[in-house]
Amino acid sequence: NLQRPLLQELPSPNEIPDGFLIILSSQPQALIPGTITVQVGNVLDPQSDRRIEVSGLTRPEVHAILLKIEKSTTGTERDALYSACQGNPLILTYLLKIFQQTVKTTVEEAITLAGDYAGDIDAYYQSRLAIPLQDAQTRQLLGLLARAAPTIPVSWLQQEWPERVQLENIFERTLAPFVRAEDGNLQFIHNSLIAFLKSETRSKLPAADLLFNEQQFHSTLADRCGPHPCADPLGRARVLHLLRANKHGDVLTVLSSVWLREAIEA
């Protein structure tokens, strides 16, 4: 997961027995030094015959996808959407989410809201979120949301979060292209945005204790999860946040036999 990527756990190539094959699929930025070990990095060198670079969707492929959606588009509009996403399926997903939100939303409006992609996903998010991230309160709220994922019930946001009005504004002006509601839960469409927000919402103070900063985020989330039962996703999320807040004593207090048995019986 995003706390400890699988890429950090890969065995050295000489530790893999004959007859076994490990296939990795990742964006190039995940394969930079420090993310993977040197031995694995050598195997994945850009010049290696074991590495395959996969291109994005072609213009005809994007056109074919757009012809299958319910809203009609002209050839010019389909070209505009292709140019905006540069064949990246994730960016196309963001664009289509906005475009299909209402009958009246135009392709031009969708591109204005979702933005153009130029090949770097972090640069893309930076261009879309730079202004909201300049505000300390908004940055704190986005940091909490990113760390609450994937357990973000909409009812929880409305009833237990004191920043309800600010949340409505952030969703409408910033997050709408990047999240969706599913079974009453707010979901980020892709983990890349969660990773970006976790990085960008850390304290900007010089020499700040980033570990303490991270623990404070999770401590706040644990408090907001409240004393829900184990069968409730928020109850289980509370345990995770307490653990990441380094509140081990509180974790042991929550994990009583009665609390765990309730989930089994449910």
Side-chain angles (χ1 to χ4, degrees):
N1 62 37
L2 293 172
Q3 300 298 321
R4 191 172 181 84
L6 173 66
L7 291 174
Q8 295 179 357
E9 307 296 335
L10 291 171
S12 172
N14 60 17
E15 295 176 325
I16 302 173
D18 290 342
F20 285 84
L21 181 67
I22 296 178
I23 301 175
L24 297 176
S25 174
S26 178
Q27 295 188 32
Q29 59 264 37
L31 306 179
I32 58 175
T35 305
I36 54 178
T37 62
V38 175
Q39 300 98 317
V40 176
N42 291 337
V43 174
L44 298 177
D45 183 270
Q47 310 306 319
S48 170
D49 59 2
R50 295 188 181 188
R51 179 165 170 153
I52 299 173
E53 295 285 345
V54 180
S55 60
L57 298 167
T58 64
R59 187 184 299 269
E61 287 171 335
V62 171
H63 276 243
I65 291 170
L66 295 171
L67 287 171
K68 294 178 181 179
I69 67 174
E70 291 183 4
K71 287 182 71 174
S72 61
T73 53
T74 66
T76 301
E77 288 174 331
R78 291 192 287 274
D79 280 338
L81 287 166
Y82 171 76
S83 298
C85 74
Q86 292 294 303
N88 185 307
L90 175 60
I91 308 302
L92 181 61
T93 300
Y94 291 154
L95 287 162
L96 291 183
K97 184 177 185 300
I98 298 174
F99 178 55
Q100 296 180 97
Q101 208 156 23
T102 69
V103 176
K104 295 182 178 179
T105 304
T106 66
V107 165
E108 184 179 357
E109 288 170 340
I111 293 173
T112 299
L113 286 170
D116 292 295
Y117 176 69
D120 185 316
I121 193 67
D122 282 346
Y124 170 76
Y125 288 137
Q126 189 67 48
S127 70
R128 305 314 304 158
L129 301 171
I131 293 176
L133 286 169
Q134 288 174 6
D135 178 73
Q137 289 185 330
T138 302
R139 194 164 59 244
Q140 173 74 6
L141 193 49
L142 288 172
L144 287 169
L145 285 170
R147 290 162 178 84
T151 308
I152 316 177
V154 175
S155 59
W156 180 48
L157 297 178
Q158 291 179 317
Q159 297 168 15
E160 303 295 335
W161 287 47
E163 310 94 339
R164 285 180 287 275
V165 174
Q166 193 179 358
L167 267 169
E168 296 278 353
N169 288 334
I170 288 177
F171 178 81
E172 196 70 30
R173 299 173 185 173
T174 305
L175 285 180
F178 310 116
V179 297
R180 64 171 177 262
E182 199 169 279
D183 297 327
N185 210 45
L186 198 66
Q187 302 251 345
F188 284 87
I189 290 174
H190 200 264
N191 279 350
S192 58
L193 180 55
I194 297 175
F196 172 81
L197 288 176
K198 283 186 175 182
S199 174
E200 293 297 313
T201 54
R202 294 184 183 119
S203 176
K204 304 302 178 185
L205 292 173
D209 186 339
L210 298 184
L211 177 59
F212 175 77
N213 183 216
E214 195 70 22
Q215 290 172 349
Q216 287 298 104
F217 273 119
H218 287 289
S219 180
T220 299
L221 289 169
D223 291 342
R224 293 187 183 186
C225 284
H228 288 275
C230 184
D232 189 309
L234 284 175
R236 299 191 298 276
R238 183 187 178 205
V239 174
L240 178 66
H241 294 308
L242 286 172
L243 187 64
R244 290 178 177 169
N246 202 34
K247 294 185 174 181
H248 297 152
D250 291 341
V251 171
L252 293 175
T253 300
V254 172
L255 295 178
S256 66
S257 299
V258 174
W259 190 81
L260 291 167
R261 190 179 301 114
E262 179 273 333
I264 297 171
E265 293 171 350

